Amino acid sequence: HPIEVAGILASLHMDVQSVCTALLHDVLEDTDTDHAQLTELFGLEIADLVNGVTKLGQLELSNPDATRERKQAENFQKFVLAMSRDIRVLIVKLCDRLHNMRTLDFHPKEESRRRIARETLDIYAPLARRIGVDRIVTELEDLSFKHLQPGVYENITKRLAAWRAGQDVAISQMSVAIRDLMDQHDVHSKVYGREKRAYAIWRKLDRQGITFEDVADIYAFRIIVDDIPTCYRVLGMLHTTFRCVPARFRDFISVPKPNGYQSVHTTILSPDNTRMEIQIRTARMEDVAGRCVAAHWAYNNQS
């Protein structure tokens, strides 16, 4: 488990101290080793980080009878206070929970699995979303959803597979068309697609009261370019070449989300009238979209 957690931290390109903390994060709680010994062996910085992760895991609610919303609010407050000293403590804790969720199938008791999944969905996933670590939040949500509503999860997963099979040709044609458009205008870019996850689809169905067929952004293309002016140039190229859906345009470059996310979103119609969401951003924006606080931390601490 510690090695797997360290691997997740490494995939986020966190620093050596964070990876070491992941390897050692259960030592104070599960062994007789104390803070002084950790400091002697690995230095004060790593010892403090391990201690912070340990304390984070020991946080308890002051009111066990509080509503779910109250529990979530109280935990947010405690986690924010705990992370204020060093954001790396929080990131290690989220990676710890992610690996716990990846192995939750092996937990022997269904009641405990559901409790852990509910805690993850109500506390850890929103916290990961709050600091913008998209790579973690989407997986936490999907894994929690799988355990809390297995029937619904399976249904949406099957419908996604059927949708994918029916849209393969349209997606492939649009991919070629976008790449050809970039080449025609000599725009250096990377183009790839992403499919909406099961929980995100269910949440949209539940909140908006729509059907699966009404979800417009099941599949989206991302166009990664060199700089901000090129983002808007590509937007103009797309709107000139394809019909756009007017109500589906959002500019998060000029007005970033609170967690730092930046991108231009638009939806266009393919030649066969299939709606395709397009996200246009720079390479750094793409990195921040996936790692957010982790990326900002890395950029701000480069020597």
Side-chain angles (χ1 to χ4, degrees):
H1 167 70
I3 292 174
E4 291 294 333
V5 176
I8 298 172
L9 266 293
S11 73
L12 292 173
H13 307 296
M14 292 300 291
D15 62 346
V16 171
Q17 288 78 10
S18 298
V19 176
C20 287
T21 300
L23 290 168
L24 297 165
H25 74 275
D26 283 333
V27 166
L28 292 179
E29 183 176 5
D30 295 344
T31 75
D32 293 331
T33 306
D34 59 21
H35 185 273
Q37 290 173 298
L38 275 183
T39 301
E40 181 180 355
L41 291 168
F42 301 101
L44 181 60
E45 182 178 5
I46 291 175
D48 283 347
L49 289 171
V50 173
N51 191 48
V53 175
T54 302
K55 288 182 177 179
L56 221 55
Q58 295 172 343
L59 289 177
E60 294 182 358
L61 296 173
S62 59
N63 180 5
D65 297 322
T67 63
R68 193 178 75 181
E69 290 76 16
R70 175 72 180 279
K71 289 181 181 179
Q72 185 176 10
E74 287 185 1
N75 275 276
F76 263 126
Q77 293 168 10
K78 291 179 178 180
F79 273 119
V80 170
L81 287 172
M83 80 179 200
S84 61
R85 184 174 179 180
D86 196 320
I87 189 64
R88 293 174 294 177
V89 169
L90 177 59
I91 296 174
V92 172
K93 186 61 185 177
L94 289 172
C95 292
D96 174 34
R97 176 51 63 111
L98 177 56
H99 186 252
N100 287 337
M101 290 302 299
R102 287 177 178 177
T103 57
L104 193 58
D105 283 326
F106 299 101
H107 200 290
K109 296 182 179 180
E110 181 181 354
E111 182 179 346
S112 294
R113 291 198 300 269
R114 291 183 61 84
R115 177 187 58 77
I116 294 169
R118 172 53 63 191
E119 182 182 67
T120 299
L121 192 60
D122 287 349
I123 298 172
Y124 288 96
L127 190 57
R129 182 177 298 281
R130 189 183 183 102
I131 65 172
V133 189
D134 188 64
R135 295 184 192 178
I136 294 178
V137 66
T138 54
E139 192 173 353
L140 286 178
E141 289 176 340
D142 256 27
L143 290 170
S144 301
F145 183 43
K146 175 183 175 182
H147 286 279
L148 291 171
Q149 300 194 56
V152 179
Y153 175 85
E154 183 178 0
N155 179 268
I156 291 179
T157 301
K158 287 181 178 178
R159 299 194 70 175
L160 261 177
W163 181 91
R164 192 183 306 120
Q167 295 294 325
D168 271 354
V169 173
I171 291 172
S172 178
Q173 289 176 343
M174 180 57 74
S175 177
V176 171
I178 293 173
R179 287 183 169 88
D180 287 346
L181 184 64
M182 298 299 108
D183 290 341
Q184 290 168 13
H185 291 269
D186 294 322
V187 175
H188 178 258
S189 64
K190 294 180 181 178
V191 180
Y192 62 93
R194 74 101 180 99
E195 188 175 274
K196 209 170 190 68
R197 304 287 287 260
Y199 177 75
I201 292 175
W202 175 84
R203 184 170 54 193
K204 178 164 282 193
L205 299 180
D206 184 59
R207 289 180 176 177
Q208 299 184 10
I210 59 178
T211 65
F212 184 91
E213 289 72 19
D214 292 327
V215 180
D217 58 345
I218 291 178
Y219 197 88
F221 285 99
R222 288 179 182 163
I223 304 176
I224 313 301
V225 297
D226 293 335
D227 51 46
I228 290 177
T230 306
C231 290
Y232 293 106
R233 181 186 169 204
V234 168
L235 177 68
M237 290 159 44
L238 290 169
H239 284 187
T240 303
T241 307
F242 304 98
R243 286 185 297 157
C244 68
V245 181
R248 298 283 304 172
F249 172 74
R250 301 291 296 275
D251 187 350
F252 295 114
I253 293 180
S254 63
V255 185
K257 291 185 178 182
N259 61 20
Y261 175 88
Q262 288 184 291
S263 185
V264 172
H265 293 192
T266 189
T267 298
I268 60 176
L269 296 175
S270 68
D272 66 349
N273 283 328
T274 299
R275 288 193 293 181
M276 298 282 183
E277 180 176 287
I278 311 292
Q279 302 169 354
I280 311 164
R281 60 186 69 156
T282 66
R284 177 162 179 168
M285 291 176 193
E286 171 71 356
D287 190 24
V288 170
R291 300 193 294 137
C292 202
V293 167
H296 284 304
W297 193 94
Y299 286 129
N300 292 336
N301 286 274
Q302 287 175 345
S303 57

